């Protein structure tokens, strides 16, 4: 999980702009990549591939969550 409280304010604002400016294609790409990694994870048989796909899926999910949570951090008093 990305701790947005530790990020530079400009970085958090950049994440917020992704959502505010309607970058639906970019968000859809991140979601598709996360879903694809999860689908391949279900079929993976060796531990190296499983660990790699777990990390990939987690990274994309963390990015999507951070984009959603950025407004809460930016608007905090």
């Amino acid at each position: 999980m990305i701790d947005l409280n530790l990020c530079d304010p400009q970085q958090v604002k950049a994440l917020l702009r992704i959502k505010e400016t309607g970058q639906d294609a970019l968000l859809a790409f991140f979601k598709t990549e996360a879903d694809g990694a999860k689908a391949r994870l279900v079929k993976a048989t060796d531990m190296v591939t499983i660990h790699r796909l777990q990390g990939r899926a987690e990274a994309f999910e963390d990015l999507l969550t951070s984009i959603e949570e950025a407004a809460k951090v930016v608007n905090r008093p």
Side-chain angles (χ1 to χ4, degrees):
M1 180 170 195
I2 299 171
D3 187 353
L4 294 177
N5 293 310
L6 300 177
C7 293
D8 184 88
Q10 288 181 328
Q11 294 168 334
V12 178
K13 288 178 184 176
L15 289 170
L16 181 61
R17 278 194 302 270
I18 291 172
K19 186 173 180 180
E20 287 182 342
T21 58
Q23 297 290 331
D24 296 335
L26 183 59
L27 292 171
F29 169 74
F30 291 154
K31 179 70 173 142
T32 300
E33 288 296 312
D35 291 344
K38 290 175 192 174
R40 290 191 309 271
L41 183 58
V42 170
K43 298 176 183 177
T45 57
D46 66 284
M47 291 307 292
V48 172
T49 302
I50 290 170
H51 289 151
R52 186 178 53 81
L53 289 170
Q54 284 175 332
R56 182 177 178 86
E58 182 178 13
F60 279 111
E61 288 295 331
D62 284 351
L63 186 55
L64 288 166
T65 301
S66 295
I67 291 168
E68 290 296 320
E69 300 291 320
K72 295 176 186 175
V73 175
V74 169
N75 296 328
R76 190 174 301 148

